[in-house]
Amino acid sequence: MISGKIPNEIVQLSKMGYLDLSSNQLSGDIPAEIGKLSKLFKLILKDNKLSGEVPAGIRGLSNLESLDLSINMLGGLIPDQIGDCWKLQSLSLSMNYLNGTIPFQIANLRALQYFDLSFNSLMGGIPPQLGSLLDLEYLNLSNNNLNGSVPTSLGIMVSLISINLSSNNLEGPLPEGKIFRSATLEAFSNNKDLCGEFQGLRPCYASVIKKGGRNMKSKLVIIIVASFVGALSLSITSVGIFLFLEKKHSRNTVKDESTSNRKNPFSIWHFDGKTVYEDIVEASENFDDKYCIGVGGTAKVYKVEIPGAQVLAVKKLRSMAEGTGTENIKSFTNEVAALTEIRHRNIMKLFGFCFQKVHSFLVYEFMERGSLAGMLGSEERAKELDWATRVQIVKGVAHALSNMHHDCSPPIIHRDISSKNILLNPNHEACISDFGTARFLKPNSSNWTTIAGTYGYLAPELAYTMVVTEKCDVYSFGVLVLEVLMGNHPGELIANLNYSTSTGAPLKDVLDDRLSPPRSLKIANELALMQNLALLCLCANPQSSPTMHSVCRQLEM
């Protein structure tokens, strides 16, 4: 392994055609003189600690066909001069700290087939000139701060077989074109306001209603949550407060009102808290146990179907008469505060809440397949979770935790990550639920806490430090990953790790034997990576365990 800066002597090797220094400990800037290596056709410097900017001198690499500077700490702008490397077929600058806009000069790279700028801080719009890259097969611009609409020119890129524009601030209609008909919803998820024919995106004709509704909703959420938390600090209120926030309600309003005279009570336009409250109580027959689908120490969860609205999951707190204590009220307020702060496709959606003397409850989207624990615990249902699905479940949870730890201010720590708190939708996509023990990390506080969570998933350091950090979730995530691989809780394996310096059991001895071994090399490699990451998360020294941001980067490599 090489460490330190890139030796200056390298740039004197003018006839060198291939240079691969990947996965070392190289640091410092990329030498500006790198452009003197005019014979170079392949340059790979990925997975190092290189900093500074991509040098403008790169324009001298006129014979370069492949450039990979991914997984470094490069910052600044992407130089316009990169457009002079007209022979480039593969260009990856992903997982850096690049900012500014995407230079339109990249459109000069007419031979380009692979283009990856994901996981940076790029902003501005997607240059429409990229549509001229007619040989491009792979385009990944995900996890940036790109805004505006998706250029229609991308729809005519006939060679494009993979596209990922997720986790940006894009809005407006998706273009027509083969790639936009064949891609999955995940390729466009977590954006500002994209619309199209995909299930999960709103229809484009609802743009006016959507735009107005969102602004109104944001203001109402702030007012209601602030009032709610403030009222609780003085006394327990007896007034029911309720608001539905789900995007589907605005969409359903457009459809339902065109065919019915009855106004949808869940629409922001016709919202009536009293009506919503009464509809839920009526649909659940005053919370009859026959609608109960789950029981916890402080609450019950009910499946509620209301005519004209989607199926709901209602988590009802024990009533005042049943002895709702201060801790239960705190759990209630924790959940409201956390879930009104977070917006992520892999985190349970809170539609609204009600707090009053008779009934106090929270309302969520209903997750048809129930908990991950329930599926893994069933011989038959566990077989529905094939290896590719399990990989996606782990990635979904990782991205959600990374969002909570690194994209929220202050950071949010869940404190009870376990398979029973991971719920699955009809497509087996994972959502983190139950934020009753969640904590906001306060920068100027000790963050001392009592122990909370599920036995078997708790980070050992909590037992003696009593200080909550994001590494508590990292440890629980490591346990969860092994559970997904093994099909059951990895208690014995974790116990053995405490007495062994080995890297754990071979992958084939770990995998759930209810499934056939993975046939795809790609899936097998991803499972092996998941196992290694899980072991890193379970490191005895929490300071040595990775962050969730780092875990996500590894999973998306």
Side-chain angles (χ1 to χ4, degrees):
M1 179 174 289
I2 305 173
S3 60
K5 295 184 177 182
I6 297 177
N8 290 328
E9 291 78 9
I10 286 180
V11 299
Q12 299 174 12
L13 303 175
S14 58
K15 294 185 179 181
M16 182 167 54
Y18 182 100
L19 178 60
D20 185 351
L21 296 175
S22 59
S23 301
N24 282 290
Q25 295 290 325
L26 295 173
S27 58
D29 296 350
I30 298 174
E33 296 79 10
I34 197 81
K36 295 179 180 179
L37 300 177
S38 58
K39 302 294 184 182
L40 204 62
F41 64 86
K42 196 164 189 175
L43 175 60
I44 305 176
L45 301 176
K46 70 174 183 179
D47 194 15
N48 280 289
K49 297 180 179 179
L50 297 171
S51 56
E53 299 184 353
V54 179
I58 204 166
R59 70 186 309 170
L61 302 177
S62 56
N63 286 300
L64 200 62
E65 297 176 1
S66 180
L67 174 62
D68 192 344
L69 305 179
S70 62
I71 320 177
N72 278 289
M73 296 184 289
L74 299 170
L77 306 178
I78 300 174
D80 300 346
Q81 293 82 355
I82 203 165
D84 294 336
C85 302
W86 58 276
K87 289 187 179 181
L88 267 180
Q89 298 176 23
S90 177
L91 172 60
S92 179
L93 304 176
S94 67
M95 300 187 188
N96 280 288
Y97 301 99
L98 299 171
N99 52 52
T101 60
I102 301 174
F104 68 85
Q105 290 85 351
I106 286 177
N108 297 334
L109 308 177
R110 298 302 174 87
L112 200 62
Q113 299 174 20
Y114 182 98
F115 186 30
D116 190 351
L117 296 180
S118 62
F119 290 94
N120 280 288
S121 299
L122 298 169
M123 57 189 70
I126 300 174
Q129 294 89 341
L130 294 185
S132 64
L133 300 175
L134 298 182
D135 288 337
L136 194 65
E137 298 178 356
Y138 179 96
L139 174 63
N140 192 346
L141 304 178
S142 67
N143 292 276
N144 281 286
N145 298 312
L146 300 173
N147 55 34
S149 60
V150 180
T152 56
S153 58
L154 268 58
I156 63 172
M157 301 173 74
V158 292
S159 295
L160 206 56
I161 58 177
S162 176
I163 188 170
N164 192 344
L165 306 178
S166 64
S167 299
N168 281 289
N169 296 310
L170 300 170
E171 56 188 326
L174 290 176
E176 294 290 330
K178 181 183 71 172
I179 187 60
F180 294 98
R181 292 192 297 270
S182 60
T184 62
L185 175 62
E186 286 75 13
F188 312 112
S189 64
N190 295 325
N191 271 289
K192 184 178 180 181
D193 191 21
L194 287 174
C195 63
E197 299 304 316
F198 278 98
Q199 183 180 1
L201 291 181
R202 65 170 180 82
C204 291
Y205 63 75
S207 59
V208 175
I209 293 176
K210 181 71 179 176
K211 186 175 180 181
R214 185 172 59 252
N215 292 337
M216 187 183 300
K217 289 173 187 176
S218 298
K219 294 175 182 177
L220 285 172
V221 171
I222 294 170
I223 293 170
I224 288 175
V225 174
S227 302
F228 170 70
V229 176
L232 281 181
S233 66
L234 299 174
S235 63
I236 298 175
T237 179
S238 61
V239 179
I241 305 172
F242 208 84
L243 176 65
F244 272 68
L245 309 174
E246 171 67 331
K247 296 177 181 178
K248 292 182 181 178
H249 299 319
S250 296
R251 199 157 63 234
N252 289 341
T253 300
V254 175
K255 295 179 181 178
D256 294 345
E257 292 183 8
S258 63
T259 58
S260 171
N261 293 325
R262 180 180 181 270
K263 293 179 178 179
N264 185 350
F266 302 102
S267 165
I268 191 69
W269 308 109
H270 308 122
F271 173 73
D272 183 337
K274 182 178 179 181
T275 300
V276 173
Y277 171 84
E278 290 173 349
D279 283 349
I280 287 179
V281 174
E282 180 182 353
S284 65
E285 298 181 35
N286 199 25
F287 296 101
D288 191 288
D289 280 348
K290 68 182 179 183
Y291 297 101
C292 183
I293 56 174
V295 179
T298 62
K300 290 184 178 181
V301 180
Y302 298 83
K303 179 181 179 181
V304 179
E305 300 185 46
I306 300 176
Q310 64 191 100
V311 182
L312 308 171
V314 179
K315 181 179 179 180
K316 181 180 177 294
L317 199 68
R318 288 196 305 179
S319 69
M320 305 291 183
E322 295 172 307
T324 299
T326 305
E327 285 303 311
N328 294 349
I329 295 173
K330 183 179 179 182
S331 174
F332 187 96
T333 57
N334 280 349
E335 193 134 13
V336 171
L339 290 178
T340 50
E341 180 72 21
I342 308 170
R343 288 289 179 271
H344 194 279
R345 67 176 290 110
N346 297 112
I347 292 176
M348 196 75 163
K349 293 180 179 66
L350 175 69
F351 293 162
F353 61 87
C354 172
F355 190 88
Q356 58 150 283
K357 188 172 183 179
V358 180
H359 295 308
S360 298
F361 52 81
L362 302 112
V363 181
Y364 309 90
E365 63 177 327
F366 178 71
M367 303 296 278
E368 185 174 314
R369 297 190 180 275
S371 72
L372 176 60
M375 291 205 70
L376 290 176
S378 166
E379 290 295 318
E380 290 303 315
R381 297 181 69 205
K383 296 175 183 177
E384 297 177 32
L385 303 177
D386 59 27
W387 294 122
T389 300
R390 298 192 189 198
V391 168
Q392 292 308 311
I393 288 172
V394 167
K395 288 183 177 181
V397 175
H399 282 296
L401 287 173
S402 179
N403 176 270
M404 291 162 54
H405 293 179
H406 305 287
D407 298 329
C408 292
S409 182
I412 298 173
I413 312 303
H414 187 278
R415 296 208 297 161
D416 195 10
I417 294 297
S418 66
S419 56
K420 69 180 178 62
N421 287 334
I422 306 299
L423 304 183
L424 305 177
N425 71 10
N427 298 320
H428 296 106
E429 292 179 304
C431 277
I432 299 177
S433 69
D434 200 345
F435 282 72
T437 60
R439 284 283 299 270
F440 289 85
L441 271 193
K442 300 174 183 177
N444 298 319
S445 171
S446 65
N447 291 301
W448 186 89
T449 183
T450 55
I451 294 179
T454 301
Y455 179 75
Y457 298 85
L458 292 172
E461 66 268 16
L462 267 181
Y464 54 85
T465 66
M466 304 294 282
V467 176
V468 63
T469 72
E470 73 278 2
K471 294 304 179 74
C472 299
D473 284 350
V474 171
Y475 183 91
S476 301
F477 174 78
V479 179
L480 179 74
V481 173
L482 290 181
E483 184 174 0
V484 170
L485 292 174
M486 299 173 66
N488 52 56
H489 189 277
E492 185 176 344
L493 177 60
I494 294 174
N496 290 337
L497 289 175
N498 295 331
Y499 300 99
S500 173
T501 58
S502 69
T503 57
L507 180 64
K508 63 181 179 62
D509 295 338
V510 168
L511 296 182
D512 190 344
D513 57 14
R514 292 173 293 186
L515 297 182
S516 301
R519 298 178 181 178
S520 162
L521 179 59
K522 177 178 181 294
I523 294 296
N525 288 338
E526 287 184 307
L527 295 175
L529 174 62
M530 283 166 47
Q531 182 190 20
N532 290 336
L533 287 173
L535 297 176
L536 290 174
C537 292
L538 297 172
C539 180
N541 179 8
Q543 302 303 320
S544 300
S545 64
T547 64
M548 289 310 304
H549 179 68
S550 173
V551 169
C552 286
R553 289 175 60 147
Q554 293 290 326
L555 289 172
E556 297 299 337
M557 285 176 59

